[in-house]
Each structure stands twice: as structure tokens, then as C-alpha cells.
Amino acid sequence: MSKEVVAIFDIATDRVAAALVAPNATNQCVNFSTTTMLDLPYQEELNPERLLSAATKALGEVAQKLVAANQPKPKSFHCFLASPFYAPQTRISHLNKEKDFTVNRAVLRDLANQERARFLQSVGDPDGTKGKLIDELVMQVKLNRYVTKKPEHQTAREVEIATFLSWGEAAVIDKLNEAVKPVFHRQNLIFHSSTVAMYQTFRLLFPNTPAALILQLGGEITELSLIHSGILLETVSYPLGFNFLLRELGTRLGLTPAAALSLIKLGQKEGMREAEQQKFNETMEELRFKWLAIFSELLHALAEKHFLANRLFVLGDERFLGLFSTWLKNKSFAEVGILKKSLGVEPLTAKLHEGFCEIKENQDFPDELLLMDALFCARILE
């Protein structure tokens, strides 16, 4: 693991967070020296341009706060993007021949180039001028249908490579880079998708779990991924995150976002009259039904191509994860023919609290996405 201090930025649809991290030389856990976070302005209706503008402004502000902490200067700067700031895709490439051939670097490079070109074509950027390739991760290589970690110089008739790729629009990447350059003296950010960080973190924390569903609950996006046999097979998403609760409660009950959040936490309001409490409960039940219907649609989309797992890990804002996790635990998806038994629901990053991360005394514990990002940088990018 690298001994250098690393600056981490995490950009989601509801907030921008940042941290300075470095490994602890004695126990190999991640040491957080500084953390900061800014909530993005609440929008009554989601506007992508306003969202990017708000995220860019917040990124510059949290970068300034890292500098103001008077810590050692970071050697690298990593920025993790949540959906919808990037487009992800898993691609499986195949090469079959009638006779055995030697798998050399040129064979692997040609397959990678072909899939990269097809991916860029699929996102509308065939010549690579409209955006930037963010992730290109080879997840698995099979020779003659057997997984191998060292395919070079072996002989085979069949080669199969599973690669995760993601792409970001140039306008987004450029604006984010411009936000931090004045602070860090023209330093460019190294971009990653939150999906690749999630996948790599899962593989590190749960090496003996062959299959799982992973839910990333964002402010504006619900994203569901399926991992099976070591591969991130597919990710599907829907533009309905936890902010829809705040919007619906605000519209139906005349509440501010802060008041709606308070009610969600408490489940009731002190002094609320019986009729008001009943209306709140009925509204929450309608919203529960609406969101679970969307989640079922995401499951169906995955089930059309793949066998599903019954173990579901959840990741997101801890203010909402408990509520949504309860909804999922109490819902039987067998009735719609997706799963044969109930989902086992658990937080993905719970293990990060078990010796992977170290926080200074009296320092607030960083949110779980920052924990995941830090582990990715310190333990996986070594």
C-alpha cells in the first residue's frame, strides 16, 4: 500500500465529500486526517445543469477546506463520480479458434481495443472526442472456459475477457478539473466511477461471496448491480432516489425538506394530531409501494439476462438506509416470480468499521462512500 497522502473527492447527487487519507504503517488500515462534506442545494425538480453547477461549486469549496486543514500536501487527487455523472457497461469479449494458439500480449491488447471501441460507439463517442474513458478494468480472463490470472504465454482455443468500462462527458470532466486547479496548482483529478470502487471493495471485503446484489441509494438515482462468479455482470438504474421522499412529503403535507427529513427519522411528530399522523402514515405507505415497484422493475431488468442472488448489500446515506432496508426486508419478491426466497439485506461497508479505517480522536466518522473510496485508493490501487 502506498505511503503517500491522497486527496479523495466523492461527488453524488445530494452532496460532495472530501478527505485526506494515508495508510497507517502499523496496522495497514486507512488513516483519515481530514474530512469535509457539503450538501448540494435541494431542487424541487431535478435539473442536470443546475446539479452539475452546484456540484462543481461545492467541489471547489471542499478542496479549499482540505488546504485550510494545514495537512501534508497530497501526492495524488482521486475523484469518484456517482450516477448520472458517468455511463457504465460490462463487456464480454470472445476469441475462438479451431486449433490451439498462444495467448500473448498482442492478442489480449487487440481484444481490449475492440471492446473499448464498441463501448465508445455505444455511448455516442466513437472517436473519443466527446468525453473521457474513466474506468477500464479487466475483471476476469478465461482460457478454454477456465478462469486464469496469468493468461499470457499459455495455449488455448477459447479466450473470454470480462471488462468493466465507464465514460464521462467532456463537459463534466473539464468543469470538475477546473474547480480544483486553482486550489491545487493546476493538478488534474484522477477519475473513477463509484461502481468500480463498490465492486473492488466488495471483492476485498467478501472474497468468499460468489454472488450478490448491491444497491447504491443516491439522492436522485437508485442503482442496482449484480455480481456473480467474480464479475460485475450488469448495473441498472432509475432516476428515483431518497430525495423523492422529501419532495412528495413536501408537496402532500406542506413540509420543508428539513421538516420532512425530521418526520422520516422520527416516524411521527410530537404534538401531531391524529388526522395528521394518519395522513403521514398513508403517504409513507404510498411512497414505500412506489419505490419498491421501481426496485422490482430493476430486479426484472437484471433477471431477464442473469440468475439473481438472494443476498443484497446496501450502500448510501445513513439517514435513509435504515428506512429503505426495512422496506426491502419486509417485501417478498417471490410473489412476482423474481426470487424464490426473501432478500438478505445488509450494509456493504459494515466491515470497514472493523479495523480497515482509523479516525483521529474527536473527528467525525466519514460517510460510508468516503470509506469505500479510501479503501479503494489505499488497498486496491497499490
Side-chain angles (χ1 to χ4, degrees), residues 106-260:
V107 169
L108 300 174
R109 183 179 62 245
D110 289 345
L111 285 173
N113 289 341
Q114 291 171 18
E115 290 307 322
R116 187 186 311 113
R118 290 168 182 159
F119 170 67
L120 291 174
Q121 182 75 36
S122 72
V123 297
D125 188 18
D127 56 1
T129 59
K130 298 179 181 178
K132 175 182 174 61
L133 193 67
I134 296 175
D135 300 304
E136 187 173 15
L137 173 69
V138 175
M139 297 179 286
Q140 189 179 90
V141 178
K142 288 183 179 180
L143 301 183
N144 296 335
R145 303 184 184 182
Y146 290 94
V147 176
T148 178
K149 293 184 178 180
K150 296 181 179 180
E152 283 192 50
H153 311 303
Q154 297 195 42
T155 58
R157 294 187 182 186
E158 299 179 26
V159 180
E160 178 182 297
I161 304 177
T163 306
F164 175 84
L165 301 108
S166 70
W167 174 90
E169 188 178 351
V172 174
I173 300 300
D174 292 345
K175 286 184 179 180
L176 297 176
N177 268 323
E178 288 300 319
V180 300
K181 282 182 179 179
V183 183
F184 293 112
H185 307 294
R186 310 299 296 177
Q187 176 68 49
N188 280 329
L189 296 167
I190 302 169
F191 289 94
H192 314 276
S193 69
S194 61
T195 299
V196 82
M198 171 275 295
Y199 164 73
Q200 293 281 57
T201 301
F202 172 82
R203 296 270 304 192
L204 178 65
L205 298 181
F206 301 94
N208 299 318
T209 302
L213 290 160
I214 300 181
L215 171 70
Q216 296 186 76
L217 179 67
E220 304 295 345
I221 305 289
T222 294
E223 194 168 64
L224 185 64
S225 300
L226 174 62
I227 294 175
H228 208 295
S229 301
I231 299 175
L232 175 61
L233 288 177
E234 190 170 355
T235 296
V236 291
S237 62
Y238 192 88
L240 194 72
F242 56 73
N243 275 345
F244 98 99
L245 293 180
L246 306 182
R247 291 191 183 98
E248 292 288 346
L249 288 172
T251 299
R252 300 187 190 193
L253 305 182
L255 300 172
T256 65

Side-chain angles (χ1 to χ4, degrees), residues 12 15 64 162 211 237 243 250 263 279 319:
R15 61 97 182 100
Q64 291 282 4
S237 62
N243 275 345
L263 277 185
K279 187 174 182 180
R319 296 174 299 176

